[in-house]
């Protein structure tokens, strides 16, 4: 490999080695910082979704008091935004292939800005729904494009750390939404909830301007035939000069550009701009693509169907069912949820590239199962008691905090990391949009039915149901999910395609790699 790279660039092997050494020693830290900054700016778009989720948990109470909506109207209002996000998620794949990853992020912020303003000035249910629709489209764009851009700009050594950033900022946004609930709760009811929703427009302005300073994704640049620009970005975002060259060679191979082509601008066929992708994904997928698609859609399904949005969106109602009836204690307890989620997601970012995806994911889901069972038991006891049971209330609070902690340390970030890194380059944007679409459909369904669900099967029964789904998720992840830690995006594809036999495929690849080293 070293000889090939030397010949390709017209540099003798010994001189090349010196060049690599000279390049690495003074600049490696700087380049890691550059990739870090790009990933952070792109991922901050996820604050918009997090803020909306967090702020609606408390704002719904005041909206209902002010405009006298029924419980049915409230649960539709809360959850419908996730279904509206499907439009943005579905459009984002093709949009990002057309105008680029960076400008798609700017577009997401602009759309959400308009939606937040509409919600803040709403005077009735229909007006609010229009605002939810517009903001939902912006959220769909942001959810799809942020992890895709981050995965494509990140070096393999830090990809797990950097692609977990969208989940970090979702949690930061949730915490900000909870704090906003508390801060504006003392204002007159008709003003407080409007400020809660409307101030979400402010960060989108700064995010949109900040993203304009980022480089474009190197993989998108190669797909446009802009090899010179892609090389510049890869040099800045790789850990070493050699890694930059290898990443460029891998991307060129995936796009179909000859290895010895080093022109700054290359003319590509239309096939490299998105045509035929849905056919390759859904109509005639290879076994590898089918396995990847099942894994990506599956992890998004289980992330939401295990009840996280029920806890985050309806935490004041859950605390009320647990015996905490006053507004201020409910909102403070809700802030505790946001704080715990944010702290544990920060822990997860440092563990993803050290421990690996599988161990964290399986540990996370196992902890969620135990927490959901405990919450179901405590709420059932309280629901069937005619007096206040202090220990059961304490168990409810502990179980909810434990649940969000286990979710944030694995299931939360790994969903975005894993689904953004396993698709082949040409299928990545549309494949990720399918995962996001699944995520939003399930999230919207949970959000729009949770009140009706717990009224039908009791509040404790609802969480027993979520625990059962989590058990199914654990089995799914254990049997079908290969480890992707440390592999570059093109190597990841090689461990897929054998479904339940992926372990033997991984062992075979390891033996081949050891043979090459020897």
């Amino acid at each position: 490999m070293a000889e090939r790279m030397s010949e390709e660039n017209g540099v003798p092997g010994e001189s090349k080695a010196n060049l690599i050494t000279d390049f690495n020693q003074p600049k490696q830290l700087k380049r890691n910082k550059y990739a870090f900054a790009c990933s952070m700016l792109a991922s901050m778009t996820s604050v918009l979704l997090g803020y909306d989720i967090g702020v609606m948990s408390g704002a719904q109470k005041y909206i209902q008091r002010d405009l006298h909506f029924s419980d049915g109207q409230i649960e539709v209002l809360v959850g419908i935004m996730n279904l509206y996000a499907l439009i943005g998620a579905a459009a984002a794949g093709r949009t990002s292939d057309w105008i680029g990853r960076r400008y798609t992020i700017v577009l997401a912020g602009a759309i959400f800005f308009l939606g937040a303003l509409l919600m803040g000035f709403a005077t009735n249910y229909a007006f609010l729904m229009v605002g939810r629709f517009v903001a939902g489209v912006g959220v769909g764009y942001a959810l799809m494009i942020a992890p895709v851009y981050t995965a494509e700009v990140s070096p393999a050594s830090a990809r797990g750390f950097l692609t977990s950033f969208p989940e970090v900022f979702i949690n930061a946004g949730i915490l900000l939404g909870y704090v906003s609930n508390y801060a504006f709760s003392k204002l007159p009811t008709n003003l407080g909830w409007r400020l809660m929703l409307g101030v979400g427009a402010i960060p989108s302005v700064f995010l949109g301007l900040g993203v304009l300073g980022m480089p474009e994704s190197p993989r998108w640049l190669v797909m446009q035939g802009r090899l010179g620009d892609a090389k510049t970005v890869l040099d800045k975002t790789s850990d070493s000069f050699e890694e930059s060259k290898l990443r460029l060679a891998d991307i060129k191979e995936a796009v179909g550009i000859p290895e010895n082509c080093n022109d700054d601008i290359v003319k590509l066929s239309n096939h490299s701009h998105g045509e035929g992708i849905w056919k390759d994904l859904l109509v005639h997928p290879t076994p590898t693509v089918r396995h990847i698609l099942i894994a990506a859609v599956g992890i998004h399904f289980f992330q939401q169907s295990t009840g996280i949005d029920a806890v985050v969106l309806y935490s004041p109602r859950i605390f009320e069912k647990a015996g905490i009836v006053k507004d201020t204690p409910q909102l403070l307890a809700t802030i505790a949820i946001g704080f715990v989620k944010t702290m544990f997601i920060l822990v997860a970012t440092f563990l993803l590239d050290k421990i690996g995806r599988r161990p964290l994911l399986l540990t996370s889901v196992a902890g969620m199962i135990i927490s959901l069972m405990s919450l179901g038991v405590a709420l059932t006891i309280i629901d069937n008691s005619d007096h206040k049971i202090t220990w059961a209330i304490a168990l409810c609070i502990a179980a909810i905090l434990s649940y969000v902690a286990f979710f944030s340390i694995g299931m939360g970030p790994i969903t975005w990391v894993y689904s953004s890194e396993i698709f082949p380059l040409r299928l990545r944007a549309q494949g990720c949009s399918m995962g996001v679409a699944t995520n939003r459909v399930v999230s919207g369904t949970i959000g729009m039915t949770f009140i009706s669900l717990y009224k039908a099967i009791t509040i404790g029964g609802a969480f027993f149901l979520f625990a059962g789904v989590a058990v199914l998720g654990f089995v799914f992840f254990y049997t079908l999910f290969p480890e992707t830690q440390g592999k570059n995006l093109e190597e990841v594809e090689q461990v897929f395609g054998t479904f339940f036999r992926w372990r033997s495929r991984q062992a075979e690849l390891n033996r081949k790699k050891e043979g090459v080293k020897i």
Side-chain angles (χ1 to χ4, degrees):
M1 177 64 73
E3 291 177 1
R4 176 175 73 81
M5 297 303 295
S6 298
E7 293 171 1
E8 180 179 302
N9 295 281
V11 181
E14 186 175 349
S15 300
K16 183 68 175 257
N18 293 335
L19 185 63
I20 293 171
T21 302
D22 292 341
F23 187 93
N24 280 344
Q25 286 180 350
K27 295 186 178 181
Q28 183 172 353
L29 182 59
K30 178 180 178 181
R31 295 184 184 280
N32 286 335
K33 284 184 177 180
Y34 189 80
F36 179 93
C38 293
S39 301
M40 177 168 285
L41 276 172
S43 302
M44 285 177 69
T45 319
S46 302
V47 166
L48 306 178
L49 170 64
Y51 183 84
D52 184 82
I53 291 173
V55 81
M56 280 303 293
S57 71
Q60 60 178 281
K61 181 190 292 283
Y62 301 102
I63 292 172
Q64 190 168 25
R65 289 176 186 172
D66 184 32
L67 302 180
H68 309 292
F69 296 158
S70 67
D71 281 348
Q73 287 177 307
I74 285 294
E75 63 181 354
V76 170
L77 184 68
V78 169
I80 195 68
M81 184 172 170
N82 295 298
L83 299 186
Y84 293 150
L86 289 174
I87 299 171
R94 191 57 185 270
T95 303
S96 67
D97 282 346
W98 179 37
I99 66 173
R101 310 328 194 198
R102 185 177 57 156
Y103 286 114
T104 303
I105 295 173
V106 175
L107 180 62
I111 295 172
F112 187 87
F113 173 83
L114 177 60
L117 287 182
L118 290 173
M119 289 189 292
F121 286 106
T123 54
N124 54 46
Y125 193 76
F127 200 156
L128 263 174
M129 289 294 278
V130 171
R132 300 293 282 168
F133 171 78
V134 175
V137 172
V139 163
Y141 268 96
L143 274 177
M144 197 290 292
I145 198 58
V148 169
Y149 176 90
T150 306
E152 292 181 348
V153 82
S154 304
S157 63
R159 193 175 63 244
F161 173 69
L162 296 179
T163 52
S164 65
F165 279 10
E167 184 69 14
V168 172
F169 285 106
I170 287 175
N171 282 276
I174 290 172
L175 179 57
L176 288 174
Y178 289 158
V179 171
S180 177
N181 287 154
Y182 183 76
F184 295 120
S185 64
K186 306 300 182 183
L187 296 176
T189 303
N190 66 334
L191 176 62
W193 68 263
R194 288 186 170 84
L195 286 175
M196 292 175 192
L197 298 179
V199 296
I202 297 174
S204 62
V205 175
F206 296 102
L207 293 175
L209 294 174
V211 168
L212 290 175
M214 299 181 338
E216 186 49 84
S217 155
R219 285 173 171 80
W220 184 81
L221 291 171
V222 174
M223 290 171 70
Q224 308 307 304
R226 296 164 57 183
L227 298 188
D229 292 338
K231 182 181 181 302
T232 300
V233 176
L234 286 168
D235 284 346
K236 292 180 178 180
T237 58
S238 297
D239 291 333
S240 68
F241 181 70
E242 184 180 39
E243 183 191 8
S244 171
K245 303 299 290 182
L246 291 173
R247 287 174 69 187
L248 181 59
D250 286 337
I251 298 169
K252 285 161 63 178
E253 181 182 356
V255 174
I257 298 174
E259 184 179 324
N260 59 359
C261 177
N262 292 305
D263 297 337
D264 284 347
I265 302 292
V266 177
K267 183 171 174 134
L268 299 177
S269 65
N270 288 335
H271 191 63
S272 296
H273 294 264
E275 287 74 8
I277 289 177
W278 292 112
K279 179 179 178 181
D280 292 344
L281 270 175
L282 300 175
V283 181
H284 299 297
T286 64
T288 296
V289 171
R290 187 179 296 114
H291 187 180
I292 288 171
L293 189 61
I294 290 171
V297 171
I299 195 169
H300 277 282
F301 171 81
F302 283 110
Q303 186 200 51
Q304 293 299 326
S305 62
T306 47
I308 186 61
D309 274 5
V311 171
V312 174
L313 286 169
Y314 294 103
S315 50
R317 287 178 181 261
I318 296 170
F319 286 127
E320 184 176 357
K321 289 288 185 180
I324 304 173
V325 295
K326 293 183 179 179
D327 285 359
T328 299
Q330 284 179 11
L331 294 176
L332 289 174
T334 300
I335 290 176
I337 291 177
F339 179 79
V340 169
K341 277 180 64 64
T342 303
M343 291 301 102
F344 276 86
I345 191 65
L346 291 174
V347 173
T349 60
F350 293 99
L351 297 179
L352 277 166
D353 287 315
K354 294 181 180 178
I355 296 178
R357 284 49 157 169
R358 273 180 60 84
L360 273 180
L361 182 61
L362 295 175
T363 301
S364 169
V365 178
M368 288 165 59
I369 293 169
I370 295 171
S371 301
L372 287 167
M373 293 293 292
S374 300
L375 181 58
V377 168
L379 287 171
T380 300
I381 291 172
I382 292 172
D383 207 25
N384 289 279
S385 175
D386 56 0
H387 62 280
K388 186 174 182 179
I389 305 177
T390 304
W391 68 265
I393 296 174
L395 179 58
C396 282
I397 297 172
I400 290 175
L401 296 180
S402 171
Y403 170 73
V404 298
F406 276 112
F407 177 88
S408 294
I409 209 168
M411 178 71 93
I414 290 174
T415 296
W416 305 104
V417 172
Y418 205 87
S419 62
S420 65
E421 69 184 358
I422 60 178
F423 281 102
L425 170 61
R426 200 173 73 85
L427 308 179
R428 185 166 298 133
Q430 281 81 356
C432 287
S433 72
M434 289 186 64
V436 173
T438 302
N439 191 289
R440 294 300 90 194
V441 167
V442 180
S443 176
T445 302
I446 296 293
M448 290 192 297
T449 61
F450 180 68
I451 296 175
S452 301
L453 178 67
Y454 77 66
K455 286 182 177 179
I457 64 173
T458 74
I459 188 76
F463 287 101
F464 285 132
L465 177 61
F466 293 142
V469 174
V471 171
L472 295 178
F474 185 92
V475 174
F476 177 78
F477 300 138
Y478 183 81
T479 56
L480 280 174
F481 273 51
E483 180 59 73
T484 58
Q485 177 192 15
K487 297 180 175 64
N488 67 47
L489 294 176
E490 280 65 42
E491 288 176 334
V492 165
E493 298 174 37
Q494 299 178 41
V495 297
F496 285 89
T498 54
F499 298 92
F500 300 105
R501 299 188 301 277
W502 64 265
R503 290 173 179 81
S504 59
R505 174 61 175 163
Q506 181 66 70
E508 178 185 344
L509 291 172
N510 290 340
R511 285 194 297 270
K512 287 182 179 179
K513 189 177 290 187
E514 290 299 321
V516 170
K517 288 180 181 178
I518 292 171

